[in-house]
Amino acid sequence: LDSIKQSLQEKNILFTITRDDGYTANNAVNALIKDLLISIIIIFILLIFTLGFKEAIIVSLTVPMILSLTLFIGFMLGESVNRITLFALIVALGMLVDAAIIVIENIHRHKIEHPNMDLETLSINATNEIGNPTNIATIAIIMVFIPMFFVGGMMGEFMHPLPVFVPISLAVSLFVAYAFTPYLVK
């Protein structure tokens, strides 16, 4: 309003701001982003103790890649970023790292079992070994969110980002887990 305030006053149009939800929405979005960053840090710390420092860094790097690609795909589909979109990404966050953790854990296990094997061959074999179960698990989770497309009315409009962004983020996480995680292990 500040940008058009002068032109409105010149036309003798008076206005009074009775409610400013932009401030509240901005604070809510900032809180969600802060929670998202805290979640990534917690995941990183937990993975240090279970997989090791390098593996924790790799999985932690996949999270911003997945979220960036998900938001880009959403943008290409004409979706907007709002509170429910960010909530969908937070809901998906725990599931986003599943594929990357499974891939990197299996590569880690293969490195321990076959210390003299070429790392490229080892990464390919380890990733192929867990491919089908990881694909099926990801598809099963995606299928859980598909019925939300059929929710109608105001609730359907409100919850629309969940069945859009969660499946997209899970599909992207599977792509990142297979394309980048084995490469980053080297």
Side-chain angles (χ1 to χ4, degrees):
L1 275 174
D2 289 335
S3 63
I4 62 170
K5 183 178 184 178
Q6 184 66 30
S7 66
L8 291 174
Q9 287 175 344
E10 289 171 1
K11 296 175 185 176
N12 290 329
I13 299 174
L14 301 175
F15 62 91
T16 304
I17 298 173
T18 59
R19 185 173 160 175
D20 185 5
D21 286 335
Y23 179 76
T24 306
N26 189 40
N27 287 341
V29 168
N30 289 338
L32 284 172
I33 290 173
K34 184 182 105 189
D35 292 345
L36 190 63
L37 292 174
I38 290 170
S39 299
I40 292 171
I41 291 168
I42 290 170
I43 290 168
F44 175 73
I45 292 169
L46 289 173
L47 290 176
I48 287 174
F49 294 116
T50 56
L51 291 178
F53 187 75
K54 181 179 179 182
E55 289 81 1
I57 288 175
I58 292 170
V59 172
S60 296
L61 286 175
T62 63
V63 172
M65 277 195 285
I66 294 165
L67 294 177
S68 299
L69 285 169
T70 301
L71 288 172
F72 177 73
I73 292 169
F75 174 73
M76 297 304 287
L77 294 173
E79 297 292 329
S80 64
V81 177
N82 54 40
R83 283 192 256 183
I84 304 302
T85 303
L86 294 175
F87 175 72
L89 294 176
I90 289 173
V91 165
L93 183 62
M95 298 177 276
L96 292 180
V97 295
D98 286 351
I101 290 173
I102 291 168
V103 169
I104 203 151
E105 189 279 328
N106 207 42
I107 292 171
H108 182 74
R109 182 179 63 84
H110 275 257
K111 280 173 37 178
I112 292 171
E113 290 177 359
H114 311 287
N116 297 327
M117 187 180 234
D118 174 48
L119 195 55
E120 185 175 329
T121 306
L122 186 135
S123 296
I124 291 170
N125 291 342
T127 304
N128 285 339
E129 183 178 357
I130 49 87
N132 288 337
T134 307
N135 294 343
I136 291 169
T138 303
I139 290 170
I141 296 169
I142 289 172
M143 296 305 286
V144 168
F145 287 91
I146 298 301
M148 289 184 78
F149 272 118
F150 304 110
V151 175
M154 187 169 58
M155 192 60 172
E157 288 290 321
F158 182 71
M159 299 304 279
H160 175 74
L162 275 170
V164 172
F165 281 96
V166 173
I168 289 172
S169 65
L170 291 172
V172 168
S173 75
L174 202 58
F175 169 74
V176 168
Y178 292 153
F180 294 106
T181 305
Y183 177 75
L184 293 173
V185 169
K186 293 180 183 182

